[in-house]
Amino acid sequence: MHQQVNGHSLGSDTQGRTSLKGDLREFLGGEVPLHQLDDLTKVNPVTLETVLRCLQARYTEDIFYTNAGCTLVALNPFKHIPQLYAPELMQEYHAAPQPQKLKPHIFTVGEQTYRNVKSLIEPINQSIVVSGESGAGKTWTSRCLMKFYAVVAASPTSCENHKMAERIEERILNSNPVMEAFGNACTLRNNNSSRFGKFIQLQLNRAQQMTGAAVQTYLLEKTRVACQAASERNFHIFYQICKGATKEERLQWCLPEGTAFSWLPNPESSLEEDCFEVTREAMLHLGIDTPTQNNIFKVLAGLLHLGNVHFVDSEDEAQPCQLMDGTKGSVRTSALLLQLPDNMLLESMQIRTIKAGKQQQVFQKPCSRAECDTRRDCLAKLIYARLFDWLVSVINSSICADFSSWTAFIGLLDVYGFESFPDNSLEQLCINYANEKLQQHFVAHYLRAQQEEYEVEGLEWSFVNYQDNQTCLDLLEGSPISICSLINEECRLNRPSSAAQLQTRIESTLAGRPCLGHNKLSREPSFVVMHFAGPVRYCTAGLVEKNKDPVPPELTGLLQQSQDPLLMMLFPANPEEKTQEELSGQSRAPALTVVSKFKASLEQLLQVLHKTTPHYIRCIKPNSQSQPQTFLQEEVLNQLEACGLVETIHISAAGFPIRVSHQNFMERYKLLTRLRPRTSSGLRSLCPAKGSSEQPLCAKEATLQPLLQDILHALPALIQTATTPSDPAKTAQIPLYCGRTKIFMTDSMLELLECGRAQMLEQCARCIQCGWRRHRLQKQEKQRRAAVIIQAGTAVD
């Protein structure tokens, strides 16, 4: 028996799986097995339980993609299945006349967006929102979609153009390993977790060929450089250079074998993502030459040594903190790699510069041990964040096309999923805030907009009760007071703020908000937000400082004195644009906070999404242990509830997905009026009595044009010819609704109309053929009689 993966035969001769369990078969009553249902809207009834059963049945059969109305559900298989993403399969979906009739796949979504761009129907630009919690497969999904577009959107005619297209595709695909090496890390939930959000804009020209791309990033978790949670790791790139460097490179970067680094936890763990050569090769393709690469890795090695610098409290508060025994060598090595004077590097961490008075007199104050650690961490985060932004700019300069050369784009949005850890801080607050906004975008586009359209068209719609998250967003960002505004205000006041005081202020100011809670069992100051995906507890300790994200001016000044070529480029001595610290120092205008900057970039992203045709892929993690063939119902159930999947299915299944304007409907189906003569009985045959349990939805007949009425009068006869005498119940309902400006119908009704139209065209063709044959026979008969008469006349003569 051939093995099936996602419904595609892989040609394996391994034995097939055993049949589904009895309780799953019982639901269907002996009809189509659950694993054969490609769309969750076909599950009956549509409930969380039945949807869960269907997904589990398909997962058991190695079928990982399932439609859910307007959404694609992607279950993470947690194993490599190269055949499922082969170029041959990409071409199969691309060449299919109707890709939606093939097995559900991310290539179906990819092909639909590509054809939408080719159709030139507004809005031409497309976007795909790939969502799901950490470890659900968002990064892999985005990567496969980029490969799909690289294959199908490259068909230039000339050889020169073909080589150019290949270079563009290669660079776009090579941006992935670089971004993942510097921006991804191993977390408790995912070995390759993206620690930043990204929006990839794939640019297409008028011939729908991919000419370039652009990457926009959001909220890099730069704190991970200096602080990693238990059992988690730093960014992949640090492990790559430590494991993949040659002996000569180890000497250059001062990375002897067996050296322990405080900022390199769990070095013994070996991951697929630790492949150094893949990253180096990709950087070369993006135009980052070997000397520049070595410069980057040398700076990163300097950060690792900086993490081994530790301080002890000074006995005299007037004196700077002393270095812990054995760490002086780390200062010298870090300074050597960063090409900084070691005394200046140490002094920038030990002593704080204060400007006071009208004359801006400069005072120096020794820092406490905690402040020394904070300044050390700040220095590392500052360098890494600038390096990451520079890499993104290099990638964009390598892959971005000239604005005049592209006319449309397909956007891939890959952002963090909802996060809830034992201890959550500002990073999780921003991540979950972004997910709330994206959930609102999804609800607005597919649920509210659809219901409103039905109401405008005069359809009496039974509204689906879905969970609205506006109250949560009001709590997070609402005006005039919200959690974000209170945290920002604490930053502007520039006063000492304890964690307990911040908790008290949030709870007292926002008291009575339905989405604000409090964990009475928590020993640490915190507050709880009831998110759309569930409650999350945020610790208030360090929240204000993280939001300020202060960079001491002396640290920036120190880096501007570096002789390292890379750092000289990242921290120019005379920058054209003044830094935020300099601007805020010269004027009393408050500096932008992390929350303010993130909120502004998020609003900008949503404006882009609102101007595109959105598509959604919901990635689901079957289990938290990343084990294949393991489907834990409780964990999947939580994710289904969080993404509002069932509400979407209800809308899609209960509504009318096919919509055609009155004019287009009349032009296409006016032939159907031949099915029955015009009557003055109105639409009674179309609408059963009010007592009927299956009364179709109709607008007032007075609003309909006469031709449209004639077509609608013919529908009962059309349906009656398509139903068997043993099943008269099907004629009780017409799966079509005539709105004020549009005709709404189901897929089955569209198929029935097309079948009736084909029959009428065939009848018309037969009539024409019969008429022509009759005409030809009559003509032949006349010619024969004329010939006989002529012959008879000739004989008489």
Side-chain angles (χ1 to χ4, degrees), residues 431-477:
I431 289 167
N432 294 342
Y433 165 56
N435 276 273
E436 289 284 354
K437 295 290 285 186
L438 290 172
Q439 178 63 26
Q440 186 187 52
H441 177 263
F442 172 73
V443 169
H445 186 80
Y446 275 109
L447 305 184
R448 290 178 179 167
Q450 193 167 42
Q451 290 181 352
E452 288 173 3
E453 183 178 4
Y454 285 174
E455 286 187 325
V456 168
E457 289 292 326
L459 172 58
E460 294 179 4
W461 176 254
S462 177
F463 283 89
V464 175
N465 292 320
Y466 60 89
Q467 188 176 357
D468 186 89
N469 65 338
Q470 186 58 50
T471 53
C472 183
L473 284 170
D474 290 340
L475 174 67
L476 293 172
E477 64 167 6

Side-chain angles (χ1 to χ4, degrees), residues 76 127 268 321 377 469 507 597 637 656:
N76 193 336
S127 61
E268 70 285 348
C321 290
D377 296 352
N469 65 338
E507 290 181 345
K597 288 186 286 187
L637 184 64
F656 300 91

Side-chain angles (χ1 to χ4, degrees), residues 186-205:
C186 177
T187 66
L188 291 172
R189 298 184 176 184
N190 185 6
N191 288 344
N192 191 32
S193 176
S194 298
R195 307 319 301 160
F196 67 103
K198 61 178 177 289
F199 182 69
I200 304 170
Q201 187 185 68
L202 304 176
Q203 300 157 345
L204 307 174
N205 61 16

Side-chain angles (χ1 to χ4, degrees), residues 32-47:
V32 181
L34 276 174
H35 71 273
Q36 294 183 12
L37 294 176
D38 289 342
D39 197 319
L40 295 178
T41 59
K42 297 177 182 177
V43 177
N44 185 33
V46 183
T47 63

Side-chain angles (χ1 to χ4, degrees), residues 18 26 108 144 156 181 217 241 282 303 343 353 356 426 456 472 558 570 598 608 637 652 764 772 787:
T18 58
E26 183 182 352
T108 312
C144 289
T217 60
I241 61 176
L303 298 187
N343 62 326
T353 302
L426 187 71
V456 168
C472 183
L558 170 71
L570 298 179
F598 181 71
V608 173
L637 184 64
S652 299
C764 292
W772 167 248

